[in-house]
């Protein structure tokens, strides 16, 4: 209600509208990154030509599963702002990607170094996006008070 009572000065919109627009831009950038990450997780194992053995297949399956979860979060982000649950899902997915090579036993296999490196890098990217998204959501909630 306060935004409607603020006078417009020299054709400028009220500050709450500028904050809302900035939030929309941040959401669009984060969603674009999420779509790119999800697509890479889904098709990256074939692009990197993982071997057909058991450890590489395990890496491929878990990357595709995390990629589908990230894709679902990104699609939901098109219709409404991401919330705490989305940020938690992204953080858990990122943490899993970082720990999966060690938990599933393909971290020290010479045939799966590409899978290990891909998982760790994509996990770090997902954790970073989750932290940024949570920070932006906290700032947005604080601005609305």
């Amino acid at each position: 209600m306060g935004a409607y009572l603020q006078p417009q000065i020299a054709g400028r919109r009220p500050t709450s509208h500028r904050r809302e627009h900035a939030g929309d831009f941040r959401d669009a950038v984060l969603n674009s990154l999420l779509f790119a990450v999800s697509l890479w997780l889904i098709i990256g194992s074939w692009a990197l030509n993982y071997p057909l053995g058991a450890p590489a297949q395990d890496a491929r399956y878990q990357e595709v599963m995390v990629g589908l979860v990230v894709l679902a979060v990104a699609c939901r982000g098109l219709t409404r702002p991401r919330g705490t649950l989305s940020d938690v899902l992204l953080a858990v997915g990122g943490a899993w990607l970082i720990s999966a090579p060690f938990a599933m036993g393909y971290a020290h296999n010479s045939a799966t170094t590409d899978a290990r490196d891909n998982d760790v890098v994509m996990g770090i990217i997902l954790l970073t996006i989750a932290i940024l998204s949570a920070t932006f959501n906290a700032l947005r909630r604080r601005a609305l008070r």
Side-chain angles (χ1 to χ4, degrees):
M1 182 170 186
Y4 296 111
L5 298 177
Q6 290 179 346
Q8 289 190 2
I9 300 172
R12 296 177 79 187
R13 293 181 178 160
T15 55
S16 64
H17 178 74
R18 284 193 303 256
R19 283 187 204 129
E20 182 180 314
H21 179 68
D24 291 344
F25 177 73
R26 287 188 294 251
D27 284 341
V29 170
L30 288 176
N31 260 350
S32 299
L33 290 173
L34 286 176
F35 275 115
V37 167
S38 68
L39 291 176
W40 178 253
L41 285 171
I42 292 169
I43 66 168
S45 61
W46 287 279
L48 293 174
N49 202 19
Y50 288 4
L52 297 176
Q57 281 300 109
D58 293 340
R60 179 175 285 142
Y61 290 142
Q62 60 88 22
E63 286 173 7
V64 169
M65 290 300 126
V66 172
L68 290 173
V69 170
V70 173
L71 183 62
V73 169
C75 287
R76 184 184 178 279
L78 291 174
T79 59
R80 62 179 64 160
R82 274 182 309 284
T84 305
L85 178 62
S86 298
D87 297 337
V88 168
L89 285 172
L90 293 175
V92 168
W96 172 248
L97 285 174
I98 292 170
S99 63
F102 307 99
M104 297 181 73
Y106 60 89
H108 303 294
N109 187 336
S110 63
T112 57
T113 55
D114 288 342
R116 180 200 61 216
D117 296 344
N118 186 44
D119 286 355
V120 171
V121 169
M122 297 312 289
I124 291 169
I125 290 171
L126 265 183
L127 277 175
T128 303
I129 292 172
I131 291 168
L132 286 173
S133 179
T135 302
F136 294 152
N137 285 336
L139 291 173
R140 182 181 298 144
R141 283 191 296 268
R142 186 178 304 158
L144 292 175
R145 289 185 198 169

